[in-house]
Amino acid sequence: MQFDTKIAVIIRTDLEAWQKLNVASFLAGGIAAAFPECIGEPYGDASGTKYLSLIGQPILIYGADGAALSRALERALARNVTPAVYTEDMFKTTHDAANREVVRAVIRAELNLVGLAMRAERKVIDKIVDGLKFHS
């Protein structure tokens, strides 16, 4: 099945494993919040146990250094795609409001990005992530 849209998450490759997983999780949550139509139906097993819904399309995860993350951010914004962002300063906070404050305190050109996520038409995402490799 081919989707009209694509979800891409870009993670800075020099992070600790736990940080990469944390960033990917938060960013996927941003996509789910912004695009409720991408959420599938709840799951259930043959025993009647109910499970939560998931994002109903693949999420492609790319690796990048800081410069490539900044370039992807600028490419996204130039194409009117609003990404979810995660900055290094967010690792030092303890709650959502503090996360927003540390992002708000820095101009875009100086954000120390560790992750981005976005959902848009397939061809648009392909242009934004052009040159990036899948995270390994």
Side-chain angles (χ1 to χ4, degrees), residues 55-132:
I55 291 176
Q57 72 180 93
I59 300 174
L60 304 171
I61 301 182
Y62 298 87
D65 62 14
L69 273 163
S70 294
R71 186 171 52 251
L73 173 60
E74 294 305 319
R75 287 176 176 176
L77 296 173
R79 289 166 174 81
N80 295 315
V81 174
T82 303
V85 299
Y86 202 102
T87 68
E88 191 165 308
D89 291 336
M90 292 167 69
F91 288 127
K92 300 171 189 156
T93 66
T94 59
H95 57 89
D96 190 48
N99 286 344
R100 284 192 299 280
E101 287 300 318
V102 297
V103 172
R104 189 177 296 119
V106 180
I107 64 170
R108 184 172 75 227
E110 295 177 11
L111 288 173
N112 190 358
L113 296 170
V114 297
L116 295 171
M118 59 208 78
R119 179 178 184 255
E121 292 180 13
R122 297 176 63 78
K123 290 180 181 183
V124 172
I125 293 293
D126 289 344
K127 290 179 181 177
I128 293 168
V129 300
D130 185 49
L132 298 180

Side-chain angles (χ1 to χ4, degrees), residues 12-31:
R12 205 172 74 195
T13 54
D14 65 343
L15 299 177
E16 297 288 329
W18 73 266
Q19 291 174 313
K20 291 176 185 180
L21 295 170
N22 188 264
V23 170
S25 298
F26 273 103
L27 292 172
I31 296 298

